[in-house]
């Protein structure tokens, strides 16, 4: 009997060890994470964690294929329990990044820590269709990215992701611009498609004015009355930008590309003033845009009274667009972003249409926005952020 009990205990211990060091979860919420490492480390450990509760788990990654440039590690994580991760190799920890069903892999490359699509030859220099249309009396260009296998005649249509400050959110290869200067949204959408099957195109909109009469501040700040901190010099033309996107750009894209023509399959995102613009534009044209991604949004531009006055005239029932808000706590817009989240809830905004992610250690810069972008994609593609909306 003692031998039998000892065998059972030993088997139980072995099972526990394998669970801790191998694939962490085998349920329907188990998702594969790939880590491509140019330093060719001998081992790597993934730490998955929940940004709300702080709960975490460590998983030893399996060392897989190796080529001239890097070695690839892999492991499984539970997307219903954890929404963030980082990887430790050679006593070095990577940036923290969003982990969900839209994530494929991350690459510790010679250029920096970058998203990548497992199984595809790595090449961050994509091609774009450049379209110039008239906005507020001047030319505005949008850079349109389509997937490698884009089929303009397929029965299956594509979702559309609009990006403000688009020239930085995708990598266009401009002189002096590094890969790490971009959110690499094009590669992130490609990675998302590889693991979810959701197909999308990107419309990266230039929002820096006309280099003459209008600036970025003019295009992205709305006119809600007197600004909260300083009036500044902004012409507050975000309404014209919303009109351009809703009445000119979206109709053009829907006419010339094989995309859905409804708000549910259309999203917009931006960072900083672009995050403010994405939120405002979505509230202005909710019949055309169904998801807003406001990353470190500049909600500080107006006070509570001005925002409540604006929102009181908008759609706040169950037909309202999905709003995803991310912000950091270090020199970022955390205070005002949280206030907006609480304001929307207090005004009766449907909870199932709201997701808020606060990163206490997050800053107001591209590395944080690039790392969290897959979480916006989860909101845009699925209308829900699993961990944040439990």
């Amino acid at each position: 009997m003692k031998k039998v009990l000892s065998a059972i205990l030993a088997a139980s211990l072995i099972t526990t060890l394998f669970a801790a060091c191998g694939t962490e979860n085998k349920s329907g919420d188990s998702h594969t994470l790939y880590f491509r490492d140019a330093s060719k480390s001998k081992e790597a450990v993934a730490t998955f964690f929940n940004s709300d509760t702080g709960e975490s788990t460590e998983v030893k990654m399996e060392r897989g294929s190796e080529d001239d440039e890097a070695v690839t590690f892999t492991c499984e994580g539970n997307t219903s329990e954890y929404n963030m991760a980082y990887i430790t190799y050679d006593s070095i920890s990577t940036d923290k990044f969003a982990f969900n069903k839209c994530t494929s892999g991350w690459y510790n490359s010679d250029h920096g820590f970058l998203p990548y699509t497992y199984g595809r030859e790595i090449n961050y220099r994509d091609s774009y269709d450049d379209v110039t249309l008239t906005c507020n009396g001047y030319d505005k260009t949008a850079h349109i990215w389509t997937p490698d296998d884009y089929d303009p005649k397929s029965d299956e249509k594509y979702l559309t992701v609009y990006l403000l400050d688009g020239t930085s959110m995708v990598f266009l290869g401009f002189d002096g611009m590094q890969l790490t200067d971009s959110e690499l949204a094009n590669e992130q959408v490609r990675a998302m498609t590889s693991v979810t099957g959701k197909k999308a195109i990107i419309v990266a909109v230039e929002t820096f004015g006309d280099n003459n009469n209008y600036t970025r501040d003019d295009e992205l700040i709305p006119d809600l009355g007197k600004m909260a901190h300083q009036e500044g010099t902004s012409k507050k033309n975000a309404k014209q930008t919303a009109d351009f996107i809703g009445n000119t750009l979206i109709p053009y894209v829907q006419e010339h590309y094989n995309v859905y023509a409804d708000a549910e399959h259309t999203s917009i995102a931006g960072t900083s003033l672009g995050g403010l613009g994405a939120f405002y534009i979505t509230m202005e044209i909710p019949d055309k845009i169904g998801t807003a991604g406001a990353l470190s949004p500049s909600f500080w531009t107006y006070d509570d009274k001005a925002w409540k006055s604006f929102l009181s005239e908008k759609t706040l029932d169950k037909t309202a667009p999905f709003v995803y808000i991310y912000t950091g706590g270090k020199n970022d817009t955390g205070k005002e972003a949280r206030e907006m989240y609480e304001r929307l809830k207090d005004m009766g905004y449907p909870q199932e249409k709201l997701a808020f992610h606060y990163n206490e250690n997050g800053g107001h810069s591209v590395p944080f926005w690039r790392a969290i972008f897959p979480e916006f994609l989860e909101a845009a593609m699925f209308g829900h952020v699993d961990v944040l909306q439990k």
Side-chain angles (χ1 to χ4, degrees):
M1 177 63 74
K2 289 183 179 180
K3 290 183 178 180
V4 173
L5 288 173
S6 297
I8 292 173
L9 289 172
S12 176
L13 177 60
I14 291 171
T15 300
T16 301
L17 288 172
F18 272 110
C21 299
T23 54
E24 190 266 339
N25 182 284
K26 290 295 185 181
S27 73
D29 298 318
S30 180
H31 183 70
T32 303
L33 172 65
Y34 296 96
F35 172 53
R36 184 170 169 83
D37 178 26
S39 65
K40 298 186 178 181
S41 305
K42 294 300 181 184
E43 62 180 38
V45 174
T47 300
F48 299 98
F49 66 96
N50 184 308
S51 64
D52 277 350
T53 66
E55 180 185 358
S56 66
T57 187
E58 291 186 356
V59 181
K60 184 176 180 181
M61 304 189 80
E62 180 179 345
R63 197 176 194 273
S65 59
E66 181 176 340
D67 55 36
D68 292 340
E69 296 179 348
V71 63
T72 300
F73 292 87
T74 183
C75 72
E76 301 286 317
N78 187 333
T79 57
S80 68
E81 296 295 330
Y82 311 108
N83 64 322
M84 299 292 293
Y86 63 90
I87 297 166
T88 304
Y89 63 99
D90 294 339
S91 300
I92 300 170
S93 292
T94 68
D95 296 338
K96 297 176 174 64
F97 54 88
F99 171 72
N100 58 34
K101 51 198 171 189
C102 295
T103 307
S104 177
W106 285 82
Y107 183 14
N108 173 37
S109 75
D110 294 335
H111 300 284
F113 190 59
L114 307 173
Y116 91 104
T117 305
Y118 176 74
R120 179 185 181 272
E121 182 178 351
I122 294 175
N123 179 12
Y124 293 104
R125 294 184 177 273
D126 285 330
S127 60
Y128 296 81
D129 298 334
D130 292 345
V131 176
T132 301
L133 301 167
T134 300
C135 171
N136 198 28
Y138 57 91
D139 288 343
K140 177 175 290 298
T141 299
H143 307 273
I144 303 176
W145 174 88
T146 56
D148 308 323
D149 60 351
Y150 171 72
D151 184 352
K153 297 182 179 179
S154 71
D155 293 335
E156 182 181 7
K157 298 200 175 292
Y158 294 72
L159 293 91
T160 313
V161 179
Y162 290 84
L163 300 175
L164 304 179
D165 292 333
T167 50
S168 63
M169 293 197 75
V170 297
F171 182 70
L172 296 168
F174 292 153
D175 290 344
M177 186 175 184
Q178 306 296 316
L179 287 169
T180 50
D181 296 330
S182 170
E183 283 80 1
L184 294 174
N186 46 319
E187 184 64 24
Q188 306 230 38
V189 169
R190 178 185 283 119
M192 173 207 72
T193 299
S194 74
V195 292
T196 68
K198 297 274 188 179
K199 295 184 177 182
I201 73 167
I202 290 175
V203 182
V205 188
E206 292 186 359
T207 46
F208 48 71
D210 64 350
N211 289 322
N212 188 12
N213 297 311
Y214 298 98
T215 67
R216 177 171 177 262
D217 285 11
D218 296 332
E219 293 201 334
L220 296 174
I221 295 177
D223 187 357
L224 306 186
K226 182 176 175 57
M227 293 178 68
H229 300 290
Q230 59 182 10
E231 196 60 18
T233 58
S234 174
K235 294 182 175 67
K236 305 177 183 177
N237 284 344
K239 179 67 168 65
Q240 287 90 325
T241 304
D243 291 343
F244 165 76
I245 289 175
N247 299 323
T248 300
L249 185 56
I250 288 178
Y252 177 90
V253 171
Q254 292 178 352
E255 179 182 352
H256 292 87
Y257 291 86
N258 187 19
V259 297
Y260 291 100
D262 60 349
E264 180 183 356
H265 296 91
T266 306
S267 61
I268 189 169
T271 63
S272 193
L273 281 176
L276 166 69
F279 173 80
Y280 170 80
I281 290 168
T282 301
M283 293 296 105
E284 284 288 290
I285 52 173
D287 58 322
K288 297 180 179 179
I289 297 179
T291 302
L295 311 184
S296 300
S298 300
F299 290 141
W300 53 264
T301 46
Y302 290 100
D303 62 17
D304 183 62
K305 181 179 178 181
W307 278 120
K308 282 184 176 178
S309 177
F310 168 73
L311 291 169
S312 67
E313 300 177 355
K314 303 304 174 184
T315 302
L316 303 181
D317 59 21
K318 291 188 179 297
T319 64
F322 192 102
V323 176
Y324 168 79
I325 300 173
Y326 163 84
T327 189
K330 291 188 174 181
N331 300 315
D332 205 358
T333 61
K335 176 178 178 292
E336 294 82 7
R338 185 181 294 279
E339 286 174 351
M340 178 61 78
Y341 174 65
E342 297 296 337
R343 180 182 300 117
L344 288 167
K345 288 198 302 181
D346 291 344
M347 294 183 72
Y349 210 89
Q351 284 277 20
E352 68 273 16
K353 296 291 188 73
L354 279 177
F356 178 70
H357 185 143
Y358 175 72
N359 176 9
E360 182 178 356
N361 297 311
H364 199 81
S365 61
V366 169
F368 295 101
W369 300 328
R370 180 172 57 242
I372 203 64
F373 194 78
E375 196 162 79
F376 156 69
L377 288 179
E378 182 182 6
M381 299 299 126
F382 296 96
H384 190 268
V385 181
D386 289 350
V387 170
L388 299 182
Q389 295 182 283
K390 277 194 166 184

